[in-house]
Amino acid sequence: RAPHFARAAVLRRAGDLFTEHAGELRGWLVRESGSVPGKADFELHVAAQECYEAAALASRPAGQVLPSEAPRLSYTRRVPAGVVGVIAPFNAPLILAIRSVAPALALGNAVLLKPDPRTAVCGGLSLAAVLAEAGLPGDLLHVLPGGPGAGQALVADPRVPVISFTGSTAAGRSVGEAAGRHLKRAHLELGGNSALIVLEDADLDAVISTAAWGSFFHQGQICMTTGRHLVHRSLYEEYVERLAARADSLAVGDPHRAEVHLGPLIDAGQRDKVHALVGASTARGAKLAAGGTHDALFYRPTVLAGVDDATPAYAEEVFGPVAPVRPFADDEEAAALAAASSYGLSLGIVTRDAARGLDLAERIPTGIVHINDQTVNDEAVAPFGGVAASGTGARFGGDANLDAFTDLRWTTVRSDVAGYPF
């Protein structure tokens, strides 16, 4: 019930606090989630921007005046949904929590946040501490670390009409099914197996950095990670050689104790999944051009050549630092290969002809497209979301947040009581 300017003030202060306490919060992101410091700083920057953008959202127009056939005032007004349940994952724990928490609070809701228990501090308790210090009234944000049982209870509870879920496609299907049974809205941002298309006119001196970042940033544990490198056959051999050399040059280790490019995978289960997909891929004929080994949770950046539709690490989302590379003959084949996925999150196209890149992108269904960039990008002002198995469409940024976290109420007002035939 706080007025919009009071909500905005809390969120502006929260944005400032993410910057003021960056050193302490960075330490938790590095130690708890395995982020390198640069990735942690990026999360803190985006978290602050999400708060500032949410603060602006609080004063957005709340509705419209409608024409009416009757002698009355008729209008719509956006009202808070009530309690918003936010289920956030481990990989970018701060961003993927705050981008739902901040707009939901800005629009007058209470929030129950369930972070992944592996990142319960940097993805949960740190947000609560920042918002409490910023002046958020008590009882509007609760943090509930827990496993699948906690998430299931949140989805089933009739007092929580909206669920904002970010996680795997398999878990998202379960959340969507349960939400449907309980007749509540579920906004699902799920997995991906995004393609980077490198056309024959690309500058390989420039593109290898882009390609390596797309697959190896944060150990490949990003939903937008470049999971498929589709390269024109005239560049293919050199591309594989250069990407493998870049992978071999990257330092892997503990980002809390050394300056490294890649930190650890989140846990042994994820490491074993990644390694099993790499092993199954080489067993089916893929060539290991780089990597494929690990020391504890530290997995070497890996490049696979000679992949096809049956290569597990090409066909599935790996969620690890693995770059499968496949050649194509022309734009038609590139479009067909990129579109031949159950996912539809992000797409990168590298070419000296931007118009050609845009034309090619029109043939490939994804929620996000980047021309002359890799697939991993995020900004607080931009809509974010995928299609098909990657989720239920854009639900972050501007009007998408209004739709996600409010209900649209129709109201009419008459000067006198209406009369009827009986």
Side-chain angles (χ1 to χ4, degrees):
R1 293 179 180 175
H4 68 86
F5 56 85
R7 285 180 263 131
V10 169
L11 288 160
R12 285 195 299 269
R13 179 63 180 142
D16 292 343
L17 288 168
F18 277 118
T19 300
E20 292 174 20
H21 293 272
E24 178 184 1
L25 298 171
R26 181 190 305 115
W28 278 106
L29 282 161
V30 170
R31 294 165 60 201
E32 192 178 33
S33 74
S35 300
V36 299
K39 187 260 188 182
D41 287 338
F42 175 71
E43 284 211 54
L44 289 163
H45 169 74
V46 173
Q49 294 302 314
E50 290 285 358
C51 289
Y52 298 143
E53 289 299 319
L57 191 66
S59 58
R60 289 284 291 272
Q64 294 179 314
V65 176
L66 305 175
S68 179
E69 296 180 0
R72 62 189 178 185
L73 171 65
S74 177
Y75 65 94
T76 63
R77 186 167 69 90
R78 291 189 178 274
V79 297
V83 179
V84 174
V86 178
I87 303 175
F90 69 84
N91 57 321
L94 182 54
I95 291 176
L96 299 181
I98 197 65
R99 72 179 180 187
S100 292
V101 171
L105 291 172
L107 294 167
N109 300 284
V111 176
L112 204 163
L113 167 63
K114 192 203 84 63
D116 189 296
R118 293 168 290 187
T119 50
V121 176
C122 61
L125 300 180
S126 66
L127 277 76
V130 164
L131 285 160
E133 181 70 17
L136 183 71
D139 293 333
L140 289 184
L141 174 63
H142 298 268
V143 178
L144 179 67
Q152 291 164 3
L154 188 59
V155 175
D157 196 301
R159 296 166 294 181
V160 183
V162 176
I163 296 292
S164 179
F165 173 88
T166 304
S168 71
T169 296
R173 290 186 193 278
S174 297
V175 170
E177 290 170 1
R181 288 196 301 273
H182 294 285
L183 299 178
K184 62 176 64 180
R185 297 205 302 273
H187 307 290
L188 308 175
E189 200 281 287
L190 310 178
N193 191 8
S194 299
L196 176 67
I197 300 174
V198 181
L199 299 179
E200 74 277 4
D201 63 350
D203 177 2
L204 280 189
D205 290 334
V207 77
I208 293 303
S209 171
T210 296
W213 186 268
S215 281
F216 305 141
F217 176 61
H218 195 46
Q219 302 78 261
Q221 297 174 126
I222 301 287
C223 58
M224 298 170 284
T225 289
T226 301
R228 296 174 294 151
H229 295 246
L230 305 177
V231 182
H232 191 271
R233 63 187 178 187
S234 66
L235 304 177
Y236 173 74
E237 295 293 341
E238 185 179 359
Y239 185 96
V240 170
E241 181 181 344
R242 287 200 186 194
L243 186 59
R246 183 63 57 89
D248 287 337
S249 73
L250 299 177
V252 181
D254 184 350
H256 183 55
R257 292 179 171 83
E259 187 173 334
V260 296
H261 299 100
L262 281 76
L265 294 173
I266 190 65
D267 59 21
Q270 185 62 24
R271 177 205 61 204
D272 293 346
K273 177 195 171 189
V274 171
H275 198 53
L277 284 168
V278 172
S281 298
T282 56
R284 294 189 68 95
K287 174 188 174 184
L288 191 64
T293 62
H294 63 86
D295 178 9
L297 299 181
F298 303 101
Y299 206 92
R300 289 294 315 172
T302 298
V303 178
L304 294 172
V307 302
D308 57 27
D309 291 344
T311 304
Y314 173 87
E316 302 176 31
E317 181 183 33
V318 178
F319 226 64
V322 179
V325 189
R326 182 172 182 174
F328 64 84
D330 52 34
D331 288 13
E332 286 67 31
E333 184 181 12
L337 289 174
S341 171
S342 60
Y343 297 102
L345 184 51
S346 189
L347 171 68
I349 299 175
V350 180
T351 175
R352 296 177 193 266
D353 185 345
R356 179 186 176 194
L358 286 170
D359 179 68
L360 181 58
E362 289 296 311
R363 304 181 233 174
I364 304 164
T366 59
I368 303 166
V369 176
H370 301 292
I371 306 300
N372 288 323
D373 202 351
Q374 45 77 40
T375 54
V376 181
N377 279 272
D378 194 15
E379 290 189 30
V381 298
F384 187 97
V387 299
S390 289
T392 53
R395 62 180 179 86
F396 301 112
D399 290 342
N401 282 327
L402 288 171
D403 292 336
F405 302 123
T406 65
D407 293 321
L408 195 61
R409 174 181 291 173
W410 179 37
T411 302
T412 69
V413 182
R414 290 173 176 261
S415 297
D416 299 306
V417 177
Y420 292 94
F422 61 86

